[in-house]
Amino acid sequence: MKNKILLALVLASSCSLFAQKKFAQLDQELPTPNEYRNAAGAPGHRYYQQKADYKINLTLDDKEQKIYGFETITYTNNSPDQLDYLWLQLDQNLFAPNSDTKLIEVEKMEDFKSVGDIRKKMFQFDGGFKIEEIKTVNGQKMRYFINKTMMRIDLDKPLAPKTSISFQIKWWFNINDRMAVGGRSGYEYFEKDDNYLYTIAQFFPRMCVYNDVEGWQNKQFLGKGEFTLPFGDYEVNITVPSDHVVAATGECQNYNAVLTAEQRKRLEQAKKADSPVIIVTQDEAMNAEKNKATTVKTWQYKAINVRDFAFASSRKFIWDAQNQVVAGKNILCMSYYPKEGNPLWERYSTKLVAHTVKTYSKYTIDYPYPVAISVHSKWIGMEYPMICFNGGRPEADGTYSEQEKYGMWGVIIHEVGHNFFPMIINSDERQWTWMDEGLNTFVQYLTEQEWERNYPSRRGPAHLIVDYMRGDKKNMSPIMTNSESIFQFGNNAYGKPATALNILRETIMGRELFDYAFKVYCKRWKFKHPTPADFFRTMEDASAVDLDWFWRGWFYGTEHVDISIDDVKWYQLNTQNPEIEKAAKKSAQEQKDVHIGVGRNKTSITETVNERDKDIDDFYAKRDIYFVDALDKKDYKDFLAKIDSKDLELLNANKQFYEVSFNNIGGLVMPLILEFTFEDGSKEVQRIPAEIWRMYEDKVSRVFIFDKVVKSMRLDPFLETADVDLDNNSWPQQSQPTRYQLFKQQQTTRENPMQRQMRVNELNKN
Amino acid sequence: MKTLFLLLITCALSSNSLRAHAFYFAYAEVSVDEVGQRIEATLIATAHDLELVFEKENITSLRLEKALKNQNLKEQIESFLNQSFYFEKGINRTYFKIDGYEIKREGTIEFYISSEWKEPIQETLFTFNLLMKNFPEQQNKALIIWRNFKKNMEFLPNNSQQLIRFE
């Protein structure tokens, strides 16, 4: 309904008064800035971090599936603190028979319906490190205590600030069958050719981080919260069967000893190529599969300034590589995969590695390492410095579905992307999974969109998170929750933070501001250990955008976005001109609904009394209330004399006023993005910052002024705010069809197009 | 008390083997058609999760798009879905047919399913424990649309069956 108003200001109004909570600054929640981490979100002037260098000799026993290792660790204490003991991570102990991981699984009797279930429950894998000795480099035994997945080495003499200690550990362990036992590393067994493909990580006792935030980060490894480790230099000698091909963190120092002349030649070609060059061919790999060498070779690796080391080894590997230039530096991008991965792996893997390294460098920091590797094994996705293990396997006949292809692409981009988060920007994933998984998933999305237009990213755009975010909050966790306690791990620590960053980039800050601030964060904290506060502070510090409301809502809370258009009131200015106003009133009266009797009476009653007897109608019956008389004209003339020309122009401009009321049903405040469609078909978008909610968190209203009449309006037309209910986003109200209704309208099903094409080709042959 | 074990072969899968996957989430959008006396739903899950489970439970080792083209396998999959997604009131219980499906490029599958339902939806028991027996971390959500009402429901392994109430 249209209303007339006099020339007056309309103020934004509210229906409720609330103490301001959502826009409260985050000062209470964030740690106090100090000399190690300052208020700008940068490392402070006394920031420090420890260093751990490793020299490791290990042997892979392909017959028994065991690893035997011996390491020398040199640990440098750069902190201002004296250390009485050192803590190391023993992640293989996750598989030990007495592991806490098994004990903390919630179980019910209905989980044991079959003999198979019981057998699996009672199956004991003799996992875990078998520590044989720990001693100083002088041969003196050291005292140590193992607390499940953590080991404390007690020092006879405390380690003073700015000093180092070297010590040696000897160990072995049984490698887990990933298909049977699970795990982030282990082996995949190929029954058909009786061969193993090893993807080995967390295979040595590793130093824990000691820093200003946690002291020792020695929270137990329960399975979900992953790792943080100090940086250091590695020299690793890996002894494997002589027909194995090895891929590892760092650069191999002795290709002369482990590759044939022909393979070395291909490798040199690959270093200059901008598309993949095969170094070990499928035929060579298939030959190796059959022969099973009984001799061994040792591959020697060096890696500088990395936080971890991992490797893969198999006689089944096909190996290809290409060069990718980043900021003038050559990065050798490589893939290792069994023939079962083809044709997908040969066609795409190394190109994806190269693309990922290049694109992530654009948005974060220049990739600093000499190599980036993708290794294929079944049902896996895991990351280590310069090397990652990825799943995605075609069918035995070599065909694959579109979904399989995109899945493989996504996992390679994601895992290679982890080189940046957390391998280089070394956040504490034991504590905060989101700091690497969420940030990485966000940049993964950007990288996917640059690989292919309209890439079907599973995470990133705001509307993809709404199903997770709606509903009862008692089974949801804030993003800022320790890794082990998260409900809905994937959505919470990967999807929601990635979505939040995408919203910041596309809607709150804009791409230019966001990209700059994000790069500042990455540059500040590369090769260091950032915390959430460092990230939050840096993003504000580098952009001048107050984001506390955003961190508070998206990262510290569990509310969702559901903002509705509650009410729309339409106003026009009263021109005071009787010719216009009375004509408008007459027109409005003529358009009003009338009772059905009125129309029927017009035909059924041929003549009323007052139509027959002219004496019945008096002044009131005869007058025309819409007639513009002399007094109307005089009043208008007097009005014109008082008003100035600018106000008159405004009055006659035919401005349309819309007072729109919004209700924050979901709780999570967001900007108001409105698309207005006018009667002439044109559209206009207006964006109101989220600060409109700063004083009134439940309901606000806003007046919009146009030169044209609005036909309809839509809130969040570009799906930017993760609004869970679009039914209340329109005026006039419009219900969105359900997915089932859309399906009924479209009625499509698909088969694997590649297999269908094969049948088409067959038909064409005939 | 003696308890008889059934000879169903089920297998709890380790979530560690699918680490970077981490999607354990299924969603259902359910609308109640009182005039047609039907419940229509879209059931969304990660296609790979289902394929894994079907392989472990010896239903099929085929990819879903192949399996669903085989009538016999389609019925087995239908039966599997109905064991973990159903409405019941008294002796009445839904049995959903797969009217269609779409495997999305990003890895989810949407099943478009419907079942006769003549009972009022209020006070109906709704079970949605799809994949919970196989993945301990599975959490499912549903949106029930009835007349002008919408209700969000969350299901965890220890709370996979709930009464529908619209206030």
Side-chain angles (χ1 to χ4, degrees):
Chain A
M1 191 175 80
K2 197 170 59 172
N3 291 299
K4 289 286 186 182
I5 52 167
L6 294 172
L7 227 188
L9 289 170
V10 176
L11 301 168
S13 65
S14 73
C15 301
S16 72
L17 283 169
F18 238 35
Q20 178 216 54
K21 288 186 299 204
K22 297 189 192 293
F23 287 83
Q25 294 292 282
L26 267 185
D27 292 340
Q28 308 296 323
E29 286 82 355
L30 298 182
T32 306
N34 52 54
E35 56 208 349
Y36 305 114
R37 291 157 200 279
N38 68 24
H45 63 275
R46 290 191 64 200
Y47 175 85
Y48 72 86
Q49 60 192 47
Q50 312 291 62
K51 189 168 188 256
D53 299 321
Y54 298 81
K55 286 187 165 85
I56 306 174
N57 293 322
L58 70 98
T59 300
L60 170 68
D61 182 339
D62 186 39
K63 287 205 182 87
E64 303 288 325
Q65 286 71 57
K66 286 175 166 38
I67 294 257
Y68 295 90
F70 181 84
E71 63 180 344
T72 303
I73 302 176
T74 300
Y75 183 75
T76 303
N77 178 16
N78 290 315
S79 79
D81 309 321
Q82 175 177 286
L83 302 177
D84 297 327
Y85 43 74
L86 307 175
W87 281 100
L88 287 85
Q89 312 180 45
L90 302 181
D91 295 332
Q92 287 296 325
N93 288 5
L94 185 79
F95 299 113
N98 64 344
S99 162
D100 270 357
T101 301
K102 293 176 197 152
L103 295 174
I104 61 174
E105 265 182 44
V106 173
E107 293 172 338
K108 289 183 284 192
M109 258 329 285
E110 68 182 56
D111 298 328
F112 302 99
K113 282 207 187 87
S114 72
V115 173
D117 289 339
I118 299 167
R119 198 178 327 118
K120 185 170 171 67
K121 170 73 179 171
M122 299 185 71
F123 171 67
Q124 293 283 359
F125 166 63
D126 185 20
F129 284 113
K130 322 297 181 196
I131 304 288
E132 293 193 332
E133 67 175 4
I134 303 180
K135 58 183 186 182
T136 66
V137 291
N138 298 323
Q140 197 180 356
K141 279 195 177 161
M142 299 177 84
R143 286 174 292 120
Y144 63 93
F145 181 83
I146 293 178
N147 177 8
K148 302 197 189 219
T149 64
M150 291 290 164
M151 178 169 73
R152 190 188 70 229
I153 296 179
D154 298 327
L155 302 176
D156 287 340
K157 190 177 150 203
L159 188 62
K162 313 298 177 203
T163 62
S164 299
I165 183 172
S166 293
F167 55 94
Q168 294 167 333
I169 305 178
K170 189 175 176 194
W171 78 93
W172 66 273
F173 67 91
N174 291 310
I175 307 171
N176 51 302
D177 176 353
R178 283 196 306 105
M179 306 304 133
V181 174
R184 288 167 173 76
S185 58
Y187 66 78
E188 178 189 354
Y189 175 61
F190 293 78
E191 197 175 343
K192 213 170 164 190
D193 49 69
D194 186 30
N195 274 307
Y196 294 82
L197 193 158
Y198 299 93
T199 45
I200 302 296
Q202 295 118 245
F203 64 89
F204 57 105
R206 311 178 294 173
M207 293 302 305
C208 294
V209 165
Y210 177 86
N211 65 14
D212 57 290
V213 177
E214 295 279 345
W216 285 104
Q217 173 45 290
N218 56 4
K219 283 176 70 62
Q220 291 289 335
F221 179 41
L222 296 175
K224 250 199 233 172
E226 288 182 353
F227 322 108
T228 187
L229 302 118
F231 289 103
D233 303 330
Y234 284 71
E235 288 175 28
V236 183
N237 298 323
I238 307 168
T239 301
V240 298
S242 57
D243 57 356
H244 271 215
V245 172
V246 170
T249 300
E251 290 181 287
C252 183
Q253 307 294 301
N254 66 334
Y255 278 135
N256 286 344
V258 296
L259 296 182
T260 65
E262 178 59 28
Q263 288 166 346
R264 292 200 304 275
K265 186 174 150 201
R266 294 171 194 156
L267 178 58
E268 290 309 309
Q269 280 172 353
K271 285 178 183 175
K272 298 183 195 104
D274 60 5
S275 63
V277 171
I278 306 273
I279 298 160
V280 173
T281 66
Q282 181 156 328
D283 286 341
E284 286 165 352
M286 286 171 71
N287 212 39
E289 281 177 10
K290 288 182 227 152
N291 295 330
K292 297 194 183 37
T294 53
T295 52
V296 298
K297 275 184 186 166
T298 299
W299 296 60
Q300 297 170 354
Y301 279 85
K302 251 190 187 159
I304 306 295
N305 205 14
V306 291
R307 71 170 220 169
D308 198 359
F309 191 98
F311 71 96
S313 183
S314 181
R315 58 177 59 90
K316 288 177 69 69
F317 277 148
I318 301 163
W319 172 14
D320 69 48
Q322 72 171 80
N323 184 44
Q324 174 62 54
V325 179
V326 172
K329 186 177 155 166
N330 292 319
I331 317 289
L332 188 58
C333 302
M334 303 193 272
S335 299
Y336 298 72
Y337 44 94
K339 65 183 186 297
E340 288 79 0
N342 273 343
L344 268 177
W345 283 78
E346 184 175 322
R347 186 165 183 178
Y348 293 121
S349 178
T350 296
K351 288 183 178 179
L352 282 158
V353 174
H355 170 69
T356 303
V357 154
K358 179 178 151 205
T359 312
Y360 270 67
S361 297
K362 182 169 103 172
Y363 289 107
T364 62
I365 49 149
D366 295 333
Y367 185 73
Y369 293 134
V371 306
I373 298 168
S374 162
V375 175
H376 172 50
S377 182
K378 195 176 178 186
W379 294 344
I380 194 170
M382 190 56 202
E383 71 273 6
Y384 301 93
M386 301 187 231
I387 186 170
C388 54
F389 309 140
N390 305 309
R393 188 166 289 179
E395 310 237 26
D397 65 1
T399 64
Y400 51 87
S401 64
E402 247 193 322
Q403 164 221 331
E404 192 65 56
K405 179 187 80 170
Y406 283 110
M408 175 247 191
W409 286 3
V411 81
I412 292 176
I413 292 172
H414 183 91
E415 302 306 339
V416 173
H418 270 305
N419 274 298
F420 297 80
F421 310 99
M423 302 305 150
I424 299 167
I425 297 153
N426 189 351
S427 54
D428 181 355
E429 198 176 356
R430 185 63 48 88
Q431 192 71 281
W432 310 113
T433 297
W434 73 267
M435 274 206 87
D436 72 299
E437 295 296 357
L439 270 64
N440 185 35
T441 303
F442 163 67
V443 187
Q444 172 193 349
Y445 161 71
L446 299 178
T447 304
E448 286 168 348
Q449 298 307 307
E450 293 202 22
W451 175 261
E452 181 185 270
R453 288 200 191 277
N454 300 313
Y455 186 108
S457 295
R458 183 96 182 249
R459 288 167 168 154
H463 65 280
L464 296 179
I465 201 75
V466 299
D467 291 341
Y468 160 68
M469 286 186 70
R470 63 170 90 234
D472 190 353
K473 308 306 172 196
K474 70 173 184 291
N475 295 320
M476 287 179 76
S477 320
I479 292 173
M480 283 295 290
T481 301
N482 173 264
S483 303
E484 292 302 331
S485 306
I486 296 172
F487 277 115
Q488 263 297 290
F489 195 68
N491 280 310
N492 176 290
Y494 293 59
K496 192 178 171 188
T499 306
L501 294 181
N502 206 31
I503 290 174
L504 273 183
R505 183 170 191 259
E506 296 286 17
T507 303
I508 311 295
M509 295 170 73
R511 290 186 175 190
E512 192 178 344
L513 255 183
F514 177 94
D515 288 350
Y516 177 85
F518 193 67
K519 267 190 141 173
V520 167
Y521 165 73
C522 296
K523 281 179 185 160
R524 278 182 177 173
W525 291 99
K526 66 178 181 186
F527 297 112
K528 292 188 173 68
H529 300 285
T531 64
D534 302 319
F535 177 69
F536 298 147
R537 285 177 168 141
T538 295
M539 292 302 288
E540 291 197 14
D541 183 66
S543 67
V545 178
D546 185 348
L547 294 171
D548 283 10
W549 65 272
F550 188 83
W551 308 130
R552 184 180 288 287
W554 278 87
F555 285 77
Y556 284 85
T558 55
E559 290 177 321
H560 60 267
V561 180
D562 182 6
I563 298 174
S564 65
I565 294 177
D566 262 11
D567 188 32
V568 177
K569 290 184 186 134
W570 178 19
Y571 298 88
Q572 276 181 318
L573 286 177
N574 190 325
T575 62
Q576 302 296 305
N577 183 340
E579 302 282 356
I580 296 172
E581 297 305 324
K582 282 196 168 180
K585 277 182 185 165
K586 185 178 181 186
S587 173
Q589 179 63 31
E590 283 165 358
Q591 285 170 45
K592 267 188 178 172
D593 296 332
V594 292
H595 182 251
I596 192 167
V598 171
R600 287 174 176 166
N601 286 342
K602 271 198 183 135
T603 49
S604 67
I605 301 172
T606 50
E607 191 182 51
T608 59
V609 171
N610 72 318
E611 284 164 355
R612 189 175 56 247
D613 180 353
K614 302 300 171 197
D615 206 32
I616 298 294
D617 281 349
D618 65 357
F619 160 75
Y620 289 103
K622 287 177 187 168
R623 74 179 178 139
D624 177 1
I625 60 171
Y626 303 114
F627 175 70
V628 178
D629 59 29
L631 191 55
D632 290 331
K633 289 178 185 170
K634 182 184 177 301
D635 286 344
Y636 184 55
K637 201 172 162 187
D638 292 344
F639 172 74
L640 286 177
K642 290 180 207 159
I643 198 170
D644 74 33
S645 58
K646 279 200 178 130
D647 288 345
L648 184 63
E649 197 183 325
L650 184 60
L651 269 185
N652 291 331
N654 196 31
K655 295 286 181 193
Q656 311 296 318
F657 293 76
Y658 295 87
E659 181 189 284
V660 186
S661 302
F662 303 94
N663 188 4
N664 179 9
I665 302 168
L668 186 49
V669 296
M670 286 295 277
L672 301 173
I673 303 155
L674 282 144
E675 181 185 69
F676 298 90
T677 303
F678 301 99
E679 277 187 340
D680 65 0
S682 60
K683 291 179 195 270
E684 182 179 321
V685 174
Q686 289 204 18
R687 292 171 177 270
I688 311 293
E691 280 79 356
I692 192 170
W693 301 98
R694 72 200 181 288
M695 302 302 286
Y696 310 105
E697 295 174 350
D698 289 346
K699 292 182 199 293
V700 295
S701 62
R702 179 97 190 140
V703 174
F704 300 90
I705 307 171
F706 301 107
D707 293 332
K708 297 184 273 194
V709 173
V710 174
K711 187 174 155 197
S712 64
M713 53 182 86
R714 219 174 129 202
L715 186 59
D716 194 18
F718 309 112
L719 306 179
E720 294 175 62
T721 66
D723 195 313
V724 307
D725 186 359
L726 299 180
D727 280 357
N728 56 23
N729 282 30
S730 301
W731 176 83
Q733 191 163 23
Q734 267 180 4
S735 284
Q736 304 293 311
T738 65
R739 287 167 169 114
Y740 189 92
Q741 284 166 335
L742 285 172
F743 150 70
K744 280 214 291 203
Q745 286 164 22
Q746 287 158 18
Q747 285 278 318
T748 55
T749 56
R750 294 187 200 134
E751 61 181 299
N752 176 334
M754 287 182 76
Q755 288 162 326
R756 188 174 190 282
Q757 189 58 45
M758 282 167 77
R759 291 196 291 120
V760 169
N761 292 343
E762 273 306 308
L763 271 174
N764 287 341
K765 270 189 216 167
N766 299 333
Chain B
M1 185 173 85
K2 272 193 188 177
T3 310
L4 291 173
F5 292 107
L6 298 172
L7 285 176
L8 295 169
I9 299 171
T10 60
C11 183
L13 296 164
S14 166
S15 60
N16 276 333
S17 68
L18 300 164
R19 193 211 61 85
H21 169 65
F23 284 112
Y24 311 111
F25 180 68
Y27 183 74
E29 189 178 73
V30 180
S31 56
V32 183
D33 177 2
E34 288 174 301
V35 170
Q37 294 186 317
R38 305 186 65 70
I39 291 178
E40 292 168 349
T42 304
L43 191 49
I44 304 167
T46 299
H48 181 65
D49 286 350
L50 286 169
E51 286 165 354
L52 211 62
V53 167
F54 292 155
E55 188 174 343
K56 293 283 182 187
E57 298 208 2
N58 296 319
I59 294 174
T60 178
S61 58
L62 294 175
R63 298 270 197 248
L64 276 174
E65 59 262 317
K66 261 191 189 163
L68 285 162
K69 292 204 170 342
N70 177 303
Q71 187 57 33
N72 182 40
L73 287 175
K74 186 180 171 191
E75 284 168 10
Q76 287 188 59
I77 291 169
E78 228 166 47
S79 172
F80 175 86
L81 294 177
N82 274 286
Q83 283 168 37
S84 47
F85 182 84
Y86 56 89
F87 297 77
E88 55 186 338
K89 195 164 192 170
I91 57 165
N92 296 311
R93 180 170 155 159
T94 51
Y95 192 86
F96 287 92
K97 289 280 189 192
I98 298 174
D99 301 321
Y101 63 90
E102 188 174 351
I103 300 172
K104 303 280 195 182
R105 292 184 302 160
E106 74 270 17
T108 54
I109 181 166
E110 295 189 359
F111 289 104
Y112 308 109
I113 58 180
S114 64
S115 169
E116 266 191 15
W117 186 251
K118 296 177 182 173
E119 298 289 330
I121 199 67
Q122 288 268 39
E123 305 290 324
T124 294
L125 206 55
F126 176 22
T127 301
F128 186 13
N129 59 12
L130 183 67
L131 299 175
M132 285 182 183
K133 292 185 177 80
N134 311 98
F135 301 111
E137 295 179 36
Q138 185 76 16
Q139 182 183 76
N140 300 336
K141 287 194 181 183
L143 174 68
I144 317 281
I145 302 167
W146 170 64
R147 297 185 184 172
N148 289 332
F149 297 102
K150 286 182 180 177
K151 184 174 180 63
N152 291 296
M153 300 179 78
E154 295 74 40
F155 300 84
L156 288 175
N158 63 351
N159 186 23
S160 62
Q161 191 178 64
Q162 295 175 43
L163 212 54
I164 297 176
R165 281 199 184 104
F166 286 92
E167 274 113 39

